[in-house]
Amino acid sequence: MIQAALKLSRVIDAVNDRIGRWSMWLILAMTLLSAGNAVIRKAFDYSSNALLEAQWYMFSAVFLLCAGHALLHNEHIRIDLLSSRYDPRTRAWMELLGTLVFLFPVVGLVLWLGVPYFLNSLRAGDVSANPGGLILWPAKMLLPLGFALLWLQGLSQAIKQIGFLCGASPDPAHKGEEISAEQALIDELRRREQAEAAALQKGAQHG
């Protein structure tokens, strides 16, 4: 059963990784569109609400569709000052409990509220109140879609953590030789603390 679950986890990882990589191209498109809007506004004194709204459509898409991709690669902002003090198995238990107690309920609540929010907009054919603006339901669709991908990635991470605790898979938090910015900061603080302690000890010996 655990091997079947790990296979499902790999499928979810592949889907979120592919969607995340595709969505990253929207950053380039958004940047070019923003620059084009600025040039057209300055050079031709022309502005379009549709183009301006397209920018925040794409920003929303990047933010929401890449949430699962960020969780897959352990890139969400977190405070590792506490968890870094524990061994990998304890950290895996902490991650698993955090996923079950915090991630799943919050994402479930957003989906419970977000799906009707999108469906009502789709049925009503919501359009922006700004002159020449875009239809709104595609943007509202991003909310349940992004959180559904995040929920799936949370499921995948939970499977991998259980697999690690059962000895069936490697530590999902391990990044090989790559060191996160948080871990680099922790290591630097530890080095400074050890250097100061050594200096104080040396001074006490000479005194």
Side-chain angles (χ1 to χ4, degrees):
M1 183 177 292
I2 188 64
Q3 292 302 323
L6 288 170
K7 185 176 181 180
L8 173 62
S9 172
R10 288 191 290 269
V11 172
I12 295 172
D13 289 353
V15 169
N16 262 318
D17 192 55
R18 184 66 59 86
I19 290 175
R21 291 180 185 278
W22 286 348
S23 299
M24 289 176 190
W25 286 101
L26 291 175
I27 298 174
L28 175 61
M30 182 173 52
T31 303
L32 294 175
L33 180 59
S34 177
N37 280 336
V39 170
I40 292 173
R41 186 167 57 251
K42 292 293 184 181
F44 302 101
D45 195 25
Y46 172 79
S47 181
S48 167
N49 284 327
L51 294 179
L52 292 173
E53 290 178 3
Q55 292 177 216
W56 65 259
Y57 268 40
M58 287 187 282
F59 177 82
S60 301
V62 170
F63 182 83
L64 290 167
L65 299 181
C66 289
H69 180 270
L71 182 59
L72 167 62
H73 294 283
N74 291 313
E75 295 297 339
H76 281 282
I77 296 173
R78 62 177 69 199
I79 305 299
D80 289 336
L81 291 173
L82 179 62
S83 63
S84 63
R85 299 176 182 272
Y86 298 106
D87 61 273
R89 288 186 61 83
T90 303
R91 288 199 299 268
W93 275 111
M94 294 172 66
E95 293 287 339
L96 180 59
L97 291 175
T99 299
L100 297 177
V101 175
F102 297 106
L103 179 65
F104 282 168
V106 171
V107 172
L109 178 62
V110 173
L111 289 174
W112 184 59
L113 297 173
V115 171
Y117 177 70
F118 155 64
L119 292 177
N120 290 336
S121 178
L122 178 62
R123 283 192 293 264
D126 281 350
V127 179
S128 171
N130 297 316
L134 301 175
I135 56 176
L136 293 178
W137 67 260
K140 294 182 179 182
M141 178 185 65
L142 292 170
L143 183 65
L145 179 58
F147 274 83
L149 292 171
L150 181 59
W151 188 91
L152 286 173
Q153 192 56 49
L155 175 63
S156 174
Q157 297 302 105
I159 290 172
K160 286 183 284 189
Q161 287 149 6
I162 293 172
F164 170 66
L165 291 170
C166 294
S169 64
D171 183 2
H174 183 60
K175 295 186 178 182
E177 297 299 323
E178 183 180 355
I179 300 177
S180 66
E182 295 87 352
Q183 187 60 48
L185 176 60
I186 292 169
D187 292 342
E188 178 63 23
L189 291 174
R190 283 177 176 170
R191 282 194 293 268
R192 291 184 181 182
E193 183 179 353
Q194 291 170 357
E196 290 174 1
L200 289 173
Q201 184 177 7
K202 185 176 181 181
Q205 290 174 352
H206 285 292

